[in-house]
Amino acid sequence: MVVAGSMKEIKLRIKSVESTMQITKAMELVASSKLRRAKERVERSRPYFETLYATLFDIAATDTQFDSPYLAKRETQRRLYIVIAGDRGLAGGYNANILKAVQADAEEQDYVVLPIGKKAVEYFVRHNVPIVTQAFAEAGDLSVSDCFEISKIVCQKFLTGEIDEIRLCFTQFVSMLTQTATILPVLPFEKPKSPKKRQSLMLYEPDITTVFDNIIPEYLAGVVYGALCESVASEQGARRTAMEAATKNAGEMIEHLNLYYNRARQAAITQEITEIVAGADAES
């Protein structure tokens, strides 16, 4: 009876693990599909950001005399982190890595956050960190216009002096197996350390400062959108890897459980044969 009960438990466990393996396999396939689309978004977004950055760099490198509030370096009293995390878990260390990186970078610093993604919002609410807004809690639903809205909010806070420094925290997609938590300072804009005075081939109207000040919000929106694309691709890559590992582990567990089941079944058969033989001997 003990063996029979054990066999039943093992059989139920095998069915349970098989069901789990079907789910993880399905999630792996879904993540693979989403990853392809996310990688395409990353590739499409990079040229826009690179062009804006090249223009800003060209202005800063060409004219060292102009001044802009976006270049003003102040003593950092308060820092703002734009933190991009995921909306869901089951993605390995994707969410934990970026949130830990923010905490380490902000240690002993007065800071506020603008979280993007449910996991980021939940984390900072739980840790009582001041939040600028929770309007962008759904990372999966964010559009380019939302990124411009984020840029508008943070630029306004920087210009009014409410925030002295802005950093963008996201996960950079390196490869299918590698995603890197990255913290990128975005404001104040960093001038080239040793600008070469040269003649620009572009003519900026009405003047170079006005053009620079108008491009900065566009640049920041582009950076946020690019970081969002990178983070989404990283999340799907991490989830695919995690689900692939979970599926593999489930398969190995099923093999072990089948082995235990066969052993229990063999023991039950042996016990039955022993009882039959013992009964026959008793009758004789």
Side-chain angles (χ1 to χ4, degrees), residues 67-206:
D67 194 20
S68 167
Y70 292 112
L71 294 171
K73 284 192 175 182
R74 306 185 287 262
E75 184 181 349
T76 304
Q77 301 291 337
R78 204 172 208 205
R79 186 180 291 162
L80 186 149
Y81 289 94
I82 303 171
V83 184
I84 303 175
D87 293 326
R88 294 182 295 138
L90 298 176
Y94 167 74
N95 291 309
N97 290 341
I98 189 63
L99 295 172
K100 284 180 182 177
V102 173
Q103 285 290 71
D105 190 76
E107 193 173 1
E108 298 182 0
Q109 178 74 45
D110 182 20
Y111 71 102
V112 295
V113 296
L114 194 158
I116 299 173
K118 287 182 181 178
K119 292 298 179 181
V121 173
E122 290 171 2
Y123 178 84
F124 291 114
V125 167
R126 190 166 62 250
H127 287 78
N128 298 316
V129 176
I131 294 175
V132 174
T133 177
Q134 295 186 27
F136 309 102
E138 296 277 352
D141 295 337
L142 248 63
S143 63
V144 177
S145 60
D146 291 319
C147 294
F148 275 94
E149 185 63 29
I150 291 169
S151 174
K152 181 181 176 182
I153 291 170
V154 299
C155 283
Q156 183 64 29
K157 289 186 176 296
F158 182 80
L159 291 175
T160 57
E162 187 178 341
I163 297 297
D164 301 303
E165 186 182 1
I166 298 171
R167 295 187 178 185
L168 178 62
C169 312
F170 65 101
T171 305
Q172 185 178 10
F173 181 80
V174 180
S175 68
M176 192 81 73
L177 300 175
T178 308
Q179 300 87 33
T180 307
T182 304
I183 297 179
L184 177 69
V186 289
L187 284 180
F189 187 79
E190 189 72 30
K191 266 190 174 184
K193 291 184 179 179
S194 54
K196 296 179 181 178
K197 199 163 185 178
R198 54 188 173 82
Q199 186 68 34
S200 176
L201 298 177
M202 290 190 181
L203 180 64
Y204 298 102
E205 293 291 348

Side-chain angles (χ1 to χ4, degrees), residues 193-222:
K193 291 184 179 179
S194 54
K196 296 179 181 178
K197 199 163 185 178
R198 54 188 173 82
Q199 186 68 34
S200 176
L201 298 177
M202 290 190 181
L203 180 64
Y204 298 102
E205 293 291 348
D207 58 75
I208 200 166
T209 303
T210 303
V211 172
F212 185 87
D213 289 347
N214 279 279
I215 290 179
I216 282 287
E218 299 262 349
Y219 159 76
L220 185 54

